[in-house]
Amino acid sequence: MIRRFGRSMLLAALVIVLATAGTACGGGDESAGTEESPSASATETTAATTEETTYRNTQYGFEITYTEPLSQLNLTDTGGAEYAIAFVDKDGPTIHDDYANGVRISVFKLPRAYKAAEVPKLRDQFEQALKEMVADTSGGKVTSDVTATEIDGVPGFTVNYRFTEGGEQLACRVTVLIKGKWEYDLTEQTLSDDWTSMESTLHQVVQSFKTF
Protein backbone atom coordinates (compact mmCIF):
# COMPACT_ATOMS: atom_id res chain seq x y z
CA MET A 1 0.00 0.00 0.00
CA ILE A 2 1.09 3.54 -0.41
CA ARG A 3 2.27 5.33 2.65
CA ARG A 4 -0.80 6.66 4.41
CA PHE A 5 -3.40 5.29 2.00
CA GLY A 6 -1.99 5.14 -1.46
CA ARG A 7 -0.21 2.39 -3.29
CA SER A 8 -3.24 0.23 -2.61
CA MET A 9 -5.22 2.64 -4.73
CA LEU A 10 -4.05 0.61 -7.68
CA LEU A 11 -6.41 2.02 -10.24
CA ALA A 12 -5.70 5.64 -9.56
CA ALA A 13 -3.30 5.27 -12.49
CA LEU A 14 -6.05 4.06 -14.79
CA VAL A 15 -5.42 7.01 -17.07
CA ILE A 16 -3.28 4.55 -19.03
CA VAL A 17 -6.50 3.72 -20.83
CA LEU A 18 -6.48 7.15 -22.39
CA ALA A 19 -3.02 8.64 -22.12
CA THR A 20 0.23 7.16 -20.84
CA ALA A 21 1.44 3.97 -19.22
CA GLY A 22 0.71 4.27 -15.50
CA THR A 23 1.74 2.52 -12.33
CA ALA A 24 0.23 2.02 -8.92
CA CYS A 25 -0.08 5.12 -6.79
CA GLY A 26 2.79 6.47 -4.80
CA GLY A 27 2.78 7.51 -1.17
CA GLY A 28 1.01 10.23 0.70
CA ASP A 29 1.52 12.14 3.93
CA GLU A 30 -0.72 13.93 6.34
CA SER A 31 -0.43 17.69 6.39
CA ALA A 32 -0.45 18.24 10.13
CA GLY A 33 -3.65 16.22 10.22
CA THR A 34 -5.72 19.22 9.22
CA GLU A 35 -7.83 20.23 6.27
CA GLU A 36 -6.12 22.04 3.45
CA SER A 37 -6.13 25.81 3.34
CA PRO A 38 -6.62 27.88 0.18
CA SER A 39 -3.42 28.46 -1.75
CA ALA A 40 -2.33 30.42 -4.78
CA SER A 41 -2.01 27.29 -6.90
CA ALA A 42 -5.19 25.55 -5.83
CA THR A 43 -7.97 27.25 -3.93
CA GLU A 44 -9.41 24.55 -1.71
CA THR A 45 -11.98 25.30 0.95
CA THR A 46 -14.10 23.35 3.39
CA ALA A 47 -17.50 24.19 4.81
CA ALA A 48 -18.46 22.14 7.84
CA THR A 49 -21.85 21.37 9.33
CA THR A 50 -22.67 19.27 12.35
CA GLU A 51 -22.69 16.04 10.38
CA GLU A 52 -21.03 16.74 7.03
CA THR A 53 -17.92 18.42 5.66
CA THR A 54 -17.60 19.51 2.04
CA TYR A 55 -14.19 19.66 0.40
CA ARG A 56 -13.98 21.95 -2.66
CA ASN A 57 -11.12 22.28 -5.13
CA THR A 58 -11.50 25.13 -7.62
CA GLN A 59 -8.35 24.37 -9.61
CA TYR A 60 -9.55 20.91 -10.63
CA GLY A 61 -13.24 21.76 -10.55
CA PHE A 62 -14.75 19.35 -8.05
CA GLU A 63 -16.21 19.04 -4.59
CA ILE A 64 -17.05 16.10 -2.37
CA THR A 65 -18.82 15.69 0.95
CA TYR A 66 -17.78 13.29 3.69
CA THR A 67 -18.86 12.35 7.22
CA GLU A 68 -17.37 10.67 10.26
CA PRO A 69 -15.46 8.46 10.70
CA LEU A 70 -13.67 9.84 7.62
CA SER A 71 -11.31 12.80 7.73
CA GLN A 72 -9.16 14.54 5.14
CA LEU A 73 -5.70 13.24 4.33
CA ASN A 74 -3.43 15.40 2.18
CA LEU A 75 -1.17 13.44 -0.18
CA THR A 76 2.26 14.55 -1.33
CA ASP A 77 2.85 11.71 -3.80
CA THR A 78 0.04 11.66 -6.34
CA GLY A 79 1.16 8.53 -8.18
CA GLY A 80 1.40 10.32 -11.51
CA ALA A 81 -1.88 12.17 -11.18
CA GLU A 82 -2.18 15.93 -11.47
CA TYR A 83 -3.68 15.91 -7.98
CA ALA A 84 -4.81 13.43 -5.34
CA ILE A 85 -6.47 13.58 -1.95
CA ALA A 86 -7.96 10.98 0.39
CA PHE A 87 -10.63 10.79 3.08
CA VAL A 88 -9.80 8.03 5.53
CA ASP A 89 -10.76 6.44 8.81
CA LYS A 90 -7.72 7.41 10.87
CA ASP A 91 -8.97 5.39 13.84
CA GLY A 92 -9.52 2.33 11.67
CA PRO A 93 -7.20 -0.52 10.65
CA THR A 94 -3.79 0.02 9.08
CA ILE A 95 -1.43 -2.08 6.99
CA HIS A 96 2.28 -1.24 7.13
CA ASP A 97 1.25 1.99 8.92
CA ASP A 98 -1.03 2.88 5.98
CA TYR A 99 -4.72 3.59 6.47
CA ALA A 100 -6.80 0.76 5.05
CA ASN A 101 -10.33 2.22 4.90
CA GLY A 102 -11.40 5.28 2.96
CA VAL A 103 -11.90 7.03 -0.38
CA ARG A 104 -9.20 8.44 -2.64
CA ILE A 105 -9.78 10.94 -5.47
CA SER A 106 -7.11 11.24 -8.17
CA VAL A 107 -7.31 13.74 -11.02
CA PHE A 108 -5.63 13.19 -14.39
CA LYS A 109 -5.34 15.55 -17.35
CA LEU A 110 -6.20 13.77 -20.58
CA PRO A 111 -4.42 14.35 -23.92
CA ARG A 112 -7.60 15.87 -25.29
CA ALA A 113 -11.09 16.79 -24.18
CA TYR A 114 -13.77 14.11 -24.47
CA LYS A 115 -17.44 14.72 -25.13
CA ALA A 116 -19.90 12.82 -22.95
CA ALA A 117 -21.09 10.83 -25.96
CA GLU A 118 -17.55 9.54 -26.54
CA VAL A 119 -17.06 8.09 -23.06
CA PRO A 120 -19.06 4.85 -23.54
CA LYS A 121 -16.75 3.95 -26.44
CA LEU A 122 -13.84 3.73 -23.96
CA ARG A 123 -15.37 0.82 -22.06
CA ASP A 124 -13.36 -1.96 -23.73
CA GLN A 125 -10.08 -0.11 -23.15
CA PHE A 126 -11.00 0.48 -19.54
CA GLU A 127 -11.91 -3.15 -18.95
CA GLN A 128 -8.71 -4.48 -20.52
CA ALA A 129 -6.49 -2.13 -18.53
CA LEU A 130 -8.37 -3.00 -15.36
CA LYS A 131 -7.90 -6.74 -15.80
CA GLU A 132 -4.20 -6.36 -16.49
CA MET A 133 -3.60 -4.13 -13.50
CA VAL A 134 -5.57 -6.25 -11.04
CA ALA A 135 -3.81 -9.38 -12.32
CA ASP A 136 -0.48 -7.78 -11.38
CA THR A 137 -1.46 -7.52 -7.70
CA SER A 138 -1.19 -10.23 -5.08
CA GLY A 139 -4.45 -12.17 -5.02
CA GLY A 140 -5.98 -9.65 -7.42
CA LYS A 141 -9.44 -10.46 -8.71
CA VAL A 142 -12.14 -8.44 -10.47
CA THR A 143 -15.36 -9.17 -8.56
CA SER A 144 -18.01 -7.43 -10.68
CA ASP A 145 -18.80 -6.50 -14.25
CA VAL A 146 -17.65 -3.16 -15.57
CA THR A 147 -20.78 -1.02 -15.70
CA ALA A 148 -21.53 2.41 -17.08
CA THR A 149 -22.29 5.02 -14.45
CA GLU A 150 -23.03 8.74 -14.18
CA ILE A 151 -22.56 11.06 -11.22
CA ASP A 152 -23.70 14.67 -11.35
CA GLY A 153 -24.16 14.30 -15.09
CA VAL A 154 -20.56 13.11 -15.63
CA PRO A 155 -20.30 9.71 -17.40
CA GLY A 156 -17.87 6.94 -16.65
CA PHE A 157 -17.47 3.37 -15.44
CA THR A 158 -17.39 1.50 -12.16
CA VAL A 159 -16.11 -1.92 -11.11
CA ASN A 160 -15.26 -3.86 -7.94
CA TYR A 161 -12.04 -5.75 -7.30
CA ARG A 162 -10.02 -7.32 -4.46
CA PHE A 163 -6.36 -7.90 -3.72
CA THR A 164 -4.13 -8.72 -0.76
CA GLU A 165 -1.51 -6.59 0.97
CA GLY A 166 0.43 -7.40 4.11
CA GLY A 167 -1.51 -10.61 4.52
CA GLU A 168 -4.85 -8.77 4.48
CA GLN A 169 -7.49 -8.89 1.76
CA LEU A 170 -8.82 -5.52 0.64
CA ALA A 171 -12.12 -4.86 -1.10
CA CYS A 172 -12.27 -1.95 -3.54
CA ARG A 173 -14.58 -0.21 -5.96
CA VAL A 174 -13.22 2.27 -8.49
CA THR A 175 -15.39 4.79 -10.33
CA VAL A 176 -13.76 6.58 -13.26
CA LEU A 177 -15.51 9.74 -14.47
CA ILE A 178 -14.50 11.74 -17.54
CA LYS A 179 -15.43 15.36 -18.12
CA GLY A 180 -13.75 17.25 -20.92
CA LYS A 181 -9.99 17.06 -20.43
CA TRP A 182 -10.21 15.71 -16.87
CA GLU A 183 -10.42 12.16 -15.57
CA TYR A 184 -11.50 11.72 -11.96
CA ASP A 185 -10.75 8.35 -10.34
CA LEU A 186 -12.68 7.73 -7.13
CA THR A 187 -11.56 4.60 -5.28
CA GLU A 188 -13.37 3.16 -2.27
CA GLN A 189 -11.34 0.71 -0.19
CA THR A 190 -11.63 -1.25 3.05
CA LEU A 191 -10.38 -4.44 4.58
CA SER A 192 -12.68 -7.11 3.16
CA ASP A 193 -14.12 -7.77 6.62
CA ASP A 194 -15.08 -4.08 6.91
CA TRP A 195 -16.71 -3.69 3.50
CA THR A 196 -20.25 -4.47 4.65
CA SER A 197 -20.14 -1.97 7.51
CA MET A 198 -18.25 0.76 5.61
CA GLU A 199 -19.64 0.48 2.09
CA SER A 200 -22.59 2.81 2.61
CA THR A 201 -20.43 5.55 4.13
CA LEU A 202 -17.85 5.35 1.36
CA HIS A 203 -20.39 5.16 -1.43
CA GLN A 204 -22.20 8.23 -0.14
CA VAL A 205 -18.92 10.13 -0.46
CA VAL A 206 -18.52 9.04 -4.07
CA GLN A 207 -22.14 9.83 -4.91
CA SER A 208 -21.73 13.34 -3.47
CA PHE A 209 -19.05 14.11 -6.07
CA LYS A 210 -19.81 17.22 -8.12
CA THR A 211 -17.95 19.11 -10.82
CA PHE A 212 -18.17 22.77 -11.79
Side-chain angles (χ1 to χ4, degrees), residues 78-169:
T78 63
E82 293 282 325
Y83 181 76
I85 192 167
F87 303 93
V88 302
D89 180 1
K90 295 179 181 177
D91 293 324
T94 61
I95 300 175
H96 303 317
D97 295 325
D98 300 335
Y99 299 116
N101 297 350
V103 177
R104 176 180 173 124
I105 298 99
S106 297
V107 184
F108 295 91
K109 187 175 182 179
L110 302 175
R112 70 173 178 88
Y114 285 81
K115 297 179 181 178
E118 295 180 286
V119 175
K121 301 175 184 178
L122 302 173
R123 184 184 183 282
D124 289 345
Q125 290 176 286
F126 171 85
E127 186 168 16
Q128 182 60 35
L130 169 84
K131 290 179 178 179
E132 292 176 359
M133 295 180 74
V134 172
D136 284 341
T137 64
S138 176
K141 182 180 180 181
V142 177
T143 57
S144 75
D145 293 333
V146 173
T147 59
T149 191
E150 184 176 296
I151 298 177
D152 191 42
V154 181
F157 309 98
T158 188
V159 68
N160 290 45
Y161 63 98
R162 296 193 177 197
F163 69 102
T164 58
E165 181 73 30
E168 297 282 357
Q169 185 181 67

Side-chain angles (χ1 to χ4, degrees), residues 19-93:
T20 61
T23 59
C25 279
D29 292 313
E30 290 185 70
S31 178
T34 60
E35 294 172 348
E36 293 186 46
S37 300
S39 67
S41 60
T43 302
E44 300 151 355
T45 60
T46 53
T49 66
T50 302
E51 298 181 350
E52 299 181 336
T53 301
T54 296
Y55 170 85
R56 182 179 177 89
N57 186 303
T58 57
Q59 180 173 359
Y60 297 106
F62 74 92
E63 69 177 40
I64 200 160
T65 299
Y66 60 97
T67 60
E68 294 183 351
L70 304 182
S71 57
Q72 183 173 319
L73 179 67
N74 302 325
L75 304 177
T76 57
D77 187 337
T78 63
E82 293 282 325
Y83 181 76
I85 192 167
F87 303 93
V88 302
D89 180 1
K90 295 179 181 177
D91 293 324

